Amino acid sequence: FAPWAAWQENRAGIIILLLLMAGVLFLIFSGGDPVLLTGDSPDHIAWLSAVSRTHEAFPDRFYYPDGGIITHDIRKGMMHALLGSINALTGRADAWAIWPIVSAIGALSMMLARYCACLVLFSSQATGLIAVLLFIFAYRGGLGGYHLLSTATGNLLRPVYYIAALKTVPTLLRSR
């Protein structure tokens, strides 16, 4: 059975990765989300709250009293509609409660993307673990830079897609 054989072969690296991910989850949920004045987290949280309250994917009013055309921001896209709908299922219109979960999803996605990209590009678990460690401790100021807690926004989550492309394109080219 191929997946079991892969697990046996890569067990140590996978366990280390899972421990790192568990540590990041602990940091995110124990530290809370620092809603920085220099970031746009309040805007995103207000959007999610408005989606929860109005059940509209692109609400007319959320953070700004009268946003006009700025409220129809396609960059927020369906991800915010999905998260706002999930928040509505909690029975609360306030999105503060789910914001750390959104950050956790983003941080774990970034870690997994880096690890998998190194596996595909370099065939090395060690390189993947180093990439994850660098993401945690050096990227955007390391643990003091709040990047683990603010990976919920599109700008910070975008590298996941770039990394996925980096690992997919070589695989596609090799298969031809």
Side-chain angles (χ1 to χ4, degrees), residues 109-128:
S109 297
M110 292 282 278
M111 293 170 69
L112 196 56
R114 282 169 166 69
Y115 181 79
C116 291
C118 287
L119 280 180
V120 170
L121 294 174
F122 306 113
S123 300
S124 169
Q125 279 190 335
T127 307

Side-chain angles (χ1 to χ4, degrees), residues 58-94:
F58 295 98
D60 288 330
R61 297 175 60 135
F62 57 104
Y63 187 67
Y64 306 101
D66 184 21
I69 192 67
I70 197 170
T71 62
H72 299 279
D73 187 350
I74 195 65
R75 294 173 303 153
K76 289 186 172 106
M78 299 315 293
M79 180 71 170
H80 281 60
L82 172 68
L83 295 171
S85 299
I86 291 170
N87 188 60
L89 293 174
T90 67
R92 298 175 51 176
D94 182 19

Side-chain angles (χ1 to χ4, degrees), residues 20 24 34 36 38 49 57 59 67 90 92 95 113 119 134 156 159 172:
L20 288 170
V24 166
L36 306 173
T38 57
S49 296
T90 67
R92 298 175 51 176
L119 280 180
L134 286 174
L156 295 176
L172 290 173

